[in-house]
Amino acid sequence: MQPNGTTALLDEIIRKALELRASDIHLEPREEYLRVRYRVDGLLEDDKPIHKTKQAALLSRVKVLVNLDIAESRLPQDGRTTLKNIDIRVSTVPTLHGEKVVLRLLKRGQIQLSFEELGMEKEDLEIYKKMISKRTGLILVTGPTGSGKTTTLYTTLATLNAKDVNIMTTEDPIEYQLPGINQIQVNQKAGLTFARSLRAILRQDPDIIMVGEIRDLETAKIAIQSAMTGHLVFSTLHTNDAPSALIRLVDMGIDRYLVEASVIGVVAQRLVRKVSLNGYNGRMGIFEVMAGVTPRQNMKTLAENGKLKVQQELTTREEIARVIYLDN
């Protein structure tokens, strides 16, 4: 059976996104047309707009793809599906001229990287590997949305995964399914919060726990308690640098002595575009690795790590300035 016009149009949009190595597709209704943009290496690029008359059918086709309610256009919706080896996560929100839709694309297997491929310098990598080899404690990965925190954590969990270890995660959303690891999808509507799922995980005899994000005091308390009672716990925070993660926990209401007793390390990170002969191609991480709760004497800051990448001709000074500036 030949695909209809709307199906063919969506197929072409997804095909082009994959060709460009885009992480996201944005379909943005405007008054006279439907804007199409692709996020490539962290930046949005415009494609040719789609005629307004095709907007409703195209957005409905996306909803059908991920089993969303095509009759509901007043409330946000989320869904996901898999096409061949591509995981697609869809989010819709109502806007002035129609529903804005974002499709996040992830190739299966794409997330499984080695530590060396993440971009950590040798010294930082050795320190991080020592941190994650411990049996108990809390390790935090910080940075803004889209800075590669999930990739770092998934790479870490894949490295630590073994047949004699019980690894459990609670995530919102589950970005990638990790073989051999027990992953829980947070469901706020059903009452399955990070805190509630984390309490349930503690009754499942875990060795290693990953909490997608510490968003509130309750989750922070349980994560720290878990780290102090025989578990290795990983989580993320939104802070500008590694030392600020500790301040953030205290500001949330955690006693400083508990922070100092539980946190065994913090990694702050950003993603920058790599340079090639013909311009930028792909991205890599710049890192700030802090063992314990105080910066070591020779610890490289994010800016210093970025400058080193420039000296190694892996990226440009302009790219480092763009990423650091945007975070401040």
Side-chain angles (χ1 to χ4, degrees), residues 41-79:
D41 292 338
L43 298 180
L44 285 169
E45 300 179 1
D46 271 292
D47 194 13
K48 60 183 179 182
I50 293 173
H51 199 278
K52 191 71 174 178
T53 57
K54 298 180 180 179
Q55 174 179 307
L58 178 61
L59 300 187
S60 292
R61 177 60 192 145
V62 174
K63 287 183 173 183
V64 169
L65 182 67
V66 293
N67 297 314
L68 298 183
D69 184 356
I70 62 173
E72 178 58 75
S73 60
R74 299 167 299 174
L75 297 173
Q77 296 189 71
D78 296 280

Side-chain angles (χ1 to χ4, degrees), residues 148-316:
K149 300 186 299 294
T150 299
T151 300
T152 297
L153 287 176
Y154 278 178
T155 302
T156 302
L157 295 182
T159 300
L160 295 175
N161 193 18
K163 63 181 180 180
D164 59 348
V165 174
N166 179 20
I167 301 178
M168 301 194 68
T169 77
T170 174
E171 308 173 54
D172 185 21
I174 295 174
E175 296 277 3
Y176 183 76
Q177 297 176 27
L178 296 169
I181 292 175
N182 306 287
Q183 296 170 269
I184 299 172
Q185 169 69 57
V186 166
N187 187 335
Q188 298 285 350
K189 291 181 180 178
L192 185 59
T193 62
F194 276 125
R196 188 169 183 178
S197 58
L198 183 51
R199 283 195 296 268
I201 285 173
L202 291 174
R203 295 191 290 270
Q204 291 283 315
D205 187 30
D207 298 293
I208 299 172
I209 302 170
M210 193 268 274
V211 184
E213 183 183 347
I214 293 178
R215 296 177 179 173
D216 53 57
L217 177 59
E218 184 181 11
T219 305
K221 283 182 176 179
I222 302 172
I224 286 177
Q225 178 188 8
S226 304
M228 297 177 67
T229 55
H231 307 92
L232 181 61
V233 182
F234 295 89
S235 192
T236 71
L237 282 174
H238 291 279
T239 64
N240 285 334
D241 54 29
S244 296
L246 310 175
I247 298 173
R248 173 71 178 131
L249 289 175
V250 173
D251 287 344
M252 290 175 72
I254 302 296
D255 290 333
R256 183 175 295 276
Y257 79 91
L258 291 175
V259 174
E260 294 175 350
S262 60
V263 175
I264 58 176
V266 183
V267 175
Q269 69 178 80
R270 302 293 186 276
L271 289 178
V272 296
R273 292 178 294 170
K274 296 187 291 186
V275 292
S276 64
L277 293 176
N278 299 313
Y280 292 109
N281 183 19
R283 292 191 291 174
M284 64 179 175
I286 57 173
F287 296 89
E288 184 175 281
V289 179
M290 184 177 77
V293 294
T294 55
R296 64 185 188 278
Q297 187 173 3
N298 60 342
M299 184 183 87
K300 288 185 177 64
T301 64
L302 285 166
E304 290 168 343
N305 188 250
K307 290 176 182 177
L308 182 59
K309 294 289 197 299
V310 173
Q311 294 171 5
Q312 295 168 343
E313 299 184 344
L314 297 173
T315 189
T316 65

Side-chain angles (χ1 to χ4, degrees), residues 89-106:
R89 193 170 78 241
V90 172
S91 171
T92 74
V93 293
T95 67
L96 179 62
H97 300 296
E99 289 180 279
K100 181 183 186 301
V101 176
V102 174
L103 297 86
R104 172 152 290 184
L105 311 177
L106 181 66

Side-chain angles (χ1 to χ4, degrees), residues 10-20:
L10 180 58
D11 288 346
E12 173 61 19
I13 291 171
I14 294 175
R15 184 201 62 77
K16 186 167 184 180
L18 295 174
E19 186 179 277
L20 293 171

Side-chain angles (χ1 to χ4, degrees), residues 31-50:
E31 185 174 4
E32 298 178 352
Y33 60 91
L34 180 67
R35 187 184 191 187
V36 180
R37 294 198 287 175
Y38 301 101
R39 187 173 294 280
V40 180
D41 292 338
L43 298 180
L44 285 169
E45 300 179 1
D46 271 292
D47 194 13
K48 60 183 179 182
I50 293 173

